[in-house]
Structures are given as structure tokens and as C-alpha cells.
Amino acid sequence: MLRVMVVDDQALVRRGFALILDNEPDIEVVAEAGTGIEAVEAARAHQPDIILMDIRMPEMDGLEATARILEASDAICRIIILTTFDPDEFVFRALRAGASGFVLKDIPPEALVQAVRTVAEGGAMLAPGITQRLISQFAQKLGTGHNLAERLERLTTREREVLEAIAAGKSNAEIAETLFIGPATVKTHVSSLLSKLGLRDRAQAVVFAYECGLATVGERDVGF
Amino acid sequence: MLRVMVVDDQALVRRGFALILDNEPDIEVVAEAGTGIEAVEAARAHQPDIILMDIRMPEMDGLEATARILEASDAICRIIILTTFDPDEFVFRALRAGASGFVLKDIPPEALVQAVRTVAEGGAMLAPGITQRLISQFAQKLGTGHNLAERLERLTTREREVLEAIAAGKSNAEIAETLFIGPATVKTHVSSLLSKLGLRDRAQAVVFAYECGLATVGERDVGF
DNA sequence: GAGCATCTCCACCTTTTGGGGGAGGTCCGA
DNA sequence: TCGGACCTCCCCCAAAAGGTGGAGATGCTC
């Protein structure tokens, strides 16, 4: 039995969703909440499997509530954001907060039920248009790198290693240490790779490394 | 009427999908193909709206075929990859090739029909687990930036502008030109922002800019 | 009006960087 | 075995970058 909680500041809407879900034999609506704060408390009290969460609410919005609920160490629930609008900003904030779904309120009831089941099984459900945008952004980031990655192949192994170190923000002296070679050698490699790639200085080399995928956002602590 | 083409090397599977879709009043299967090469030709000849494409096929795989079909200037179709497996590698290659959907063959028939309709309407449909992974990757890349983005707020407007220019691979002299200020002033700003952010040199500043989201992969020509 | 932050610029200095050229070594394939 | 690619290191030099300290101008708030 899937234990579901519905969060929306409009009681009518809330009840509507609850009735649709309660009508399913394997779904039980165990709680409702009208504000973000109520949602956080109710989530703790009832420990639902799935939460349907509106964004626009008084006291605390749904994104904030989502983040807080998922931060709780004992939280095992998964959250679907259910809203009327889909501006990018909301979507990204929701996904960052840890939401497993983002669907618009205009979807047919069966699709809502399906979304709940999908998310309960560990999947994720996004409105089709949002999936589309996510894919575009992703494909763009993956795609651009490729013509650049060819330029990478012109470098020798050692030069690529040095470039990686540069992209990690290391100075020539530090690179020398990590690669167990002399500083002079590092300078040779740096000069060589800059010239091969048509770059002017190490700052441009860092840009190049990110753009071609040699370095990736998120893989590094910026704790210089 | 949605004109659909089904591509799969196993005739039985192909016919099965075609029958399921043809059973819908608003969907018409206008072509079938058993290899990637056939698919490319048939797509040109029949100009379907939607193509269901298997990955594993002789002669030319579905991903290659997808890329070629979408490269054709007159192509207006959208492609759904339909496969038995979902290794990350395939998914990413498919999305880069321009696929609008990636679903597994074990989905129920109604879901397949739904996927076709969704994609035809301009949306995208991914298998729930894939959506989940896409979100994770995305949230990770977005998430890391935020504690760093706070550090950004310690900078003045001008300093942020200078940092952006640094992240574009510009030298101090070039920054001075683009911001219409003297080189000495640029140096002042650079020193100031490095010290505020706890960085040592402009290369680290570039790393920081990418990690915190001030600079993003794909927004720049690396044509220094 | 005093204090504060910001933007602008200057001079002086040290360190780092990047370019040029050379040189010895290994390893691999022609 | 010879040439070529690669890695290693050296020297010298000029340019760029970064640190320090100072200073005038603006605009804001208390």
C-alpha cells in the first residue's frame, strides 16, 4: 500500500487530488497539508512514501518544504512537485532540492496516478516539456565537447596530464611535485600544449579543459 | 493522423509494435525497416512524424541511424529509442544524437502509445529510471554550485564582471579594453577578487567560475 | 558632515609565466 | 640502425601577473 500525502494551500484542489488517489486500491492518502510548515510537520508525523507538493503556498513554499523534508535524516519519502507553471527556475530549484518528479496540474488523473506509482518504484516523472528541456541542456553540454576533444588528441600523454593539473588550478611548481618531475620540464610541457592547442596562457587552458570535457563541474573541491 | 515508422531487426517484434500502434485510431504505421540503412532510406521516402528505433541492428545501429536521419535538412521527424537495455552510454549517445525519447521494451502497450503521442506533441519521454539518472546528474552539477555561489556574493559588481572576463580567458589588458577602464584598475580588481575568494591566480579563478556556475560549458566558442 | 563602500588609477616590487633554443635520454617502428 | 616522437632538464629573457600601499572621486547611509 502506497502512503501518500497531498500538500496544497487550496483545500478544494487538495481534496480533489486526494480523492483521485484514494480511489486507487493500492494507494492511501494518509495526510494533507495546506502550508509548507504543516507539510514538514506532517511528513515527520506520518512518514508517507510519496508527497505531492504544490509550489505556491503561504508561510513556506513547496521547494523550501521539499528541501527541509528531504534533509531530515529519517526521511524515506519521495516528492513530486505538482504545479500550474513550469518556469525553468522552479524546475531547477525543485530538482536541486531533491524532488523526484515535476508535473503540471493539467495532466489527466490516470497520469497522476501513474506518476505516483513510477516514483514509488524508484523512477522519476517529469512533464514531457520539461524532460525535453532537460535533454536539450544535457545534449548541448555533451555535444559541444566533441570537436574540441579532437584537438586533445594532438597532445601527448604527458601533456594531457599537465593540462589536467592546470585545470585543477595547480601552479607549475605544484604540477612538478605531483608528477614527480622538475619544474623546468613542466614549463616545457605547458609551452608545448599551449602552442598545440592555440592557447595563450593557463587560464585559457582551464577554459579549454572545461569546454572539451577534460574537466567537469562538480568533480572537484574548490578548496584551493 | 500521426505517421509512424517502426525500425527493428526482428520482424516479429517490429510487427508487434506496428500492430499495437495501428490499433489506435489516430496513429498510422507508414513504414517499417529492419536495418539502420533501410531506416535512413525509408525515413527520407516516407517522411514519418515519429520513428520508433531499436538500437541493436545489423549494418548500422539505431544511434547512428538516428543521427543521420536527423541530420537530413528536410527531416521533421522525432525519434524514440526503444531498446531492451539502458546502459548510460547508450542513453547519452542517443540524446546527443537528438532522440526525443528513450524507453525500454518492457513498458506496457498503453505507455508506448502514450510515449508516441507525447513526443509528437513536442515533449520527450524517457524511461523513469533514466529520468532519475538524468536528474541526479543534473542536480549534482547544479547543487555543488550553491555553497560556492555564496562566496560570489562577497564580490562587488565590478569584481564579478572582471571574474567573468577572466573566465572567458581574457588577459588583464583585454579586460581593460572590454570594460573601458585602465589596466591598473583591472589589476586592482583582480587582486581584490582573488583575495576575497581565497584563490591564488587567474587559472584558479577560471576553475572557480565554472564550479560555481558563473561560467558554463557550451556558452563559449573556444576560438581564442 | 562623517563614515563607508566602491570604482578608478598610480608606483614599486617580486614571482610566475611563457618563449626560444639546446641537449641528453628512452623507446619504437621503418 | 637510423630517424622520429617523447620525456626529461638546462639557460636566458621578456612579459604578465600578483602584492602592497596610497590616493582621488562618487554616492550612500547614519
Side-chain angles (χ1 to χ4, degrees), chain A residues 159-211:
Chain A
E159 286 162 355
R160 262 194 298 275
E161 286 171 3
V162 171
L163 178 53
E164 272 185 71
I166 290 176
K170 289 191 164 77
S171 69
N172 287 343
E174 287 168 343
I175 297 173
E177 275 185 39
T178 58
L179 293 184
F180 304 108
I181 55 180
T185 309
V186 177
K187 290 188 62 174
T188 307
H189 290 313
V190 172
S191 287
S192 169
L193 74 88
L194 288 180
S195 135
K196 281 187 186 175
L197 298 176
L199 308 173
R200 184 181 49 200
D201 53 42
R202 59 206 303 110
Q204 291 191 341
V206 176
V207 174
F208 180 89
Y210 273 96
E211 295 293 334

Side-chain angles (χ1 to χ4, degrees), chain B residues 21-201:
Chain B
L21 294 170
D22 251 339
N23 207 32
E24 298 294 314
D26 57 335
I27 295 179
E28 180 188 11
V29 175
V30 296
E32 295 183 21
T35 72
I37 293 181
E38 279 178 37
V40 174
E41 285 168 12
R44 191 165 38 226
H46 294 92
Q47 297 284 330
D49 301 314
I50 301 288
I51 300 177
L52 291 184
M53 177 86 72
D54 188 25
I55 289 186
R56 226 172 29 179
M57 285 186 300
E59 290 190 49
M60 182 194 296
D61 74 16
L63 301 178
E64 176 73 22
T66 297
R68 296 217 186 169
I69 290 171
L70 292 176
E71 268 169 19
S73 56
D74 57 344
I76 47 153
C77 70
R78 297 167 62 84
I79 296 178
I80 300 174
I81 301 290
L82 194 57
T83 182
T84 315
F85 323 97
D86 72 333
D88 273 6
E89 189 204 348
F90 283 170
V91 176
F92 295 151
R93 279 183 59 200
L95 297 185
R96 191 166 57 218
S100 299
F102 198 107
V103 301
L104 301 183
K105 286 185 181 170
D106 63 3
I107 61 167
E110 318 86 69
L112 177 61
V113 173
Q114 184 55 48
V116 170
R117 294 218 177 87
T118 296
V119 170
E121 284 163 12
M125 179 67 84
L126 299 179
I130 294 173
T131 306
Q132 179 62 46
R133 289 208 297 273
L134 206 61
I135 289 178
S136 312
Q137 297 222 13
F138 210 80
Q140 184 196 348
K141 289 179 195 281
L142 286 173
T144 48
H146 233 46
N147 41 1
L148 264 49
E150 288 168 17
R151 285 210 249 166
L152 256 187
E153 288 165 21
R154 286 205 275 267
L155 301 185
T156 67
T157 311
R158 212 47 165 169
E159 285 162 354
R160 262 194 299 274
E161 286 171 2
V162 171
L163 178 53
E164 271 185 73
I166 289 176
K170 289 191 165 75
S171 68
N172 288 342
E174 287 168 342
I175 297 173
E177 274 186 40
T178 59
L179 294 184
F180 304 108
I181 56 181
T185 310
V186 177
K187 290 187 65 171
T188 306
H189 290 312
V190 172
S191 287
S192 169
L193 74 89
L194 288 181
S195 131
K196 280 188 186 175
L197 297 176
L199 307 173
R200 184 181 48 200
D201 53 42

Side-chain angles (χ1 to χ4, degrees), chain A:
Chain A
M1 191 63 120
L2 291 178
R3 297 159 44 76
V4 178
M5 176 165 107
V6 180
V7 185
D8 197 309
D9 61 329
Q10 295 174 288
L12 216 55
V13 175
R14 202 163 69 221
R15 281 310 303 159
F17 291 149
L19 285 175
I20 290 172
L21 294 171
D22 252 339
N23 206 32
E24 298 294 315
D26 58 335
I27 296 179
E28 180 188 11
V29 175
V30 296
E32 294 185 21
T35 71
I37 292 181
E38 280 178 36
V40 174
E41 286 168 12
R44 190 165 37 226
H46 294 91
Q47 296 285 329
D49 302 313
I50 302 286
I51 300 177
L52 290 184
M53 178 85 74
D54 189 24
I55 289 186
R56 225 171 30 179
M57 285 186 301
E59 291 191 47
M60 181 194 297
D61 75 17
L63 301 179
E64 177 73 22
T66 297
R68 296 219 186 168
I69 290 172
L70 292 177
E71 268 170 19
S73 55
D74 57 344
I76 47 153
C77 71
R78 296 167 61 83
I79 296 178
I80 300 175
I81 301 290
L82 194 57
T83 180
T84 315
F85 322 96
D86 72 334
D88 274 6
E89 189 205 348
F90 284 170
V91 176
F92 294 153
R93 279 183 58 201
L95 297 185
R96 192 165 55 220
S100 298
F102 196 107
V103 301
L104 301 183
K105 286 186 181 170
D106 64 2
I107 62 166
E110 318 87 67
L112 178 61
V113 173
Q114 184 55 47
V116 170
R117 293 216 178 88
T118 296
V119 169
E121 284 163 12
M125 179 68 84
L126 300 179
I130 294 173
T131 306
Q132 178 63 44
R133 290 207 298 272
L134 207 61
I135 289 177
S136 310
Q137 296 222 13
F138 210 81
Q140 184 196 351
K141 288 178 197 285
L142 286 173
T144 47
H146 239 47
N147 41 2
L148 263 50
E150 289 168 17
R151 284 211 251 167
L152 256 188
E153 289 166 20
R154 285 206 276 269
L155 301 186
T156 68
T157 311
R158 214 44 165 170
E159 286 162 355
R160 262 194 298 275
E161 286 171 3
V162 171
L163 178 53
E164 272 185 71
I166 290 176
K170 289 191 164 77
S171 69
N172 287 343
E174 287 168 343
I175 297 173
E177 275 185 39
T178 58
L179 293 184
F180 304 108
I181 55 180
T185 309
V186 177
K187 290 188 62 174
T188 307
H189 290 313
V190 172
S191 287
S192 169
L193 74 88
L194 288 180
S195 135
K196 281 187 186 175
L197 298 176
L199 308 173
R200 184 181 49 200
D201 53 42
R202 59 206 303 110
Q204 291 191 341
V206 176
V207 174
F208 180 89
Y210 273 96
E211 295 293 334
C212 78
L214 219 208
T216 337
V217 172
E219 73 181 5
R220 183 178 334 287
D221 288 356
V222 187
F224 294 123

